[in-house]
Amino acid sequence: MASDSSFDIVSKIDRQEADNALNQARKEVEQRYDFKGTDASIEWSGEAILIKANSEERAKAVLDVFQSKLIKRGISLKSLDSGDPVASGKEYRITSTLKQGISSEDAKKISKLIRDEGPKSVKAQIQGDELRVQSKSRDDLQEVQRMLKAADLDVDLQFVNYR
């Protein structure tokens, strides 16, 4: 008797890779000629990332540098939640956060997508901030993975614990 195969859908970020991307962005901002004298900086502020500069355009440019470093490190920009530049005294600040886990609304949306468009033998269960997908057929599970990769979801998904 064949047992069910399953995998988990999660949304996690390698914190060390994010830290490396931030440090690379900080070094580039400190060394680039167009950032000289602009008081531009990027740093961790608790769990958030704080970008400071003396103009709105400079703050956006620092954010752009950080985004390019995240991409090079293999972190999806869907995981980065950035606000608009906010004037704070003489400087502009952008506060960004890295999203981890799948929110309950997104989990319901993904589960509904699997039910509606996936193979009929596949079942999806919401377990906290992740989803468990089960089926008797491994081919059906791979079909679900292909379908979710092709779907335009606003969450960065990884597939783990495939057995």
Side-chain angles (χ1 to χ4, degrees):
M1 182 84 190
S3 64
D4 279 3
S5 297
S6 68
F7 68 87
D8 294 337
I9 303 172
V10 297
S11 180
K12 292 200 165 104
I13 296 169
D14 184 354
R15 173 69 183 212
Q16 187 60 51
E17 288 296 330
D19 198 36
N20 290 342
L22 186 116
N23 288 332
Q24 285 179 333
R26 181 186 309 126
K27 280 183 182 173
E28 184 171 325
V29 166
E30 287 170 358
Q31 293 174 352
R32 266 181 42 181
Y33 180 74
D34 57 334
F35 286 118
K36 293 275 189 249
T38 61
D39 298 329
S41 68
I42 180 169
E43 61 196 29
W44 286 107
S45 173
E47 284 296 306
I49 297 154
L50 186 62
I51 297 172
K52 298 180 198 172
N54 63 1
S55 73
E56 190 172 339
E57 291 75 29
R58 290 280 179 245
K60 286 181 179 177
V62 173
L63 178 61
D64 191 44
V65 168
F66 181 55
Q67 288 174 339
S68 70
K69 299 301 178 191
L70 284 175
I71 291 170
K72 285 181 183 174
R73 291 251 164 219
I75 297 176
S76 171
L77 292 184
K78 291 179 182 179
S79 304
L80 183 68
D81 190 18
S82 296
D84 291 327
V86 178
S88 172
K90 292 183 177 179
E91 66 185 11
Y92 284 82
R93 294 174 177 215
I94 299 176
T95 305
S96 303
T97 56
L98 293 169
K99 296 186 281 189
Q100 297 225 55
I102 301 172
S103 69
S104 60
E105 301 91 49
D106 288 331
K108 287 175 186 169
K109 198 184 307 179
I110 293 167
S111 165
K112 183 174 176 5
L113 185 70
I114 291 171
R115 261 196 323 271
D116 295 347
E117 298 181 24
K120 295 298 171 211
S121 67
V122 177
K123 296 180 196 72
Q125 278 182 307
I126 299 173
Q127 297 179 336
D129 62 348
E130 57 185 46
L131 267 93
R132 164 81 40 96
V133 180
Q134 293 179 314
S135 175
K136 295 229 182 273
S137 164
R138 287 181 176 238
D139 292 339
D140 288 350
L141 291 179
Q142 290 174 343
E143 179 61 35
V144 167
Q145 286 182 356
R146 277 193 292 279
M147 180 188 67
L148 290 175
K149 285 178 184 172
D152 186 29
L153 300 167
D154 52 350
V155 183
D156 180 35
L157 300 177
Q158 293 94 29
F159 307 109
V160 296
N161 296 339
Y162 189 74
R163 37 190 132 144

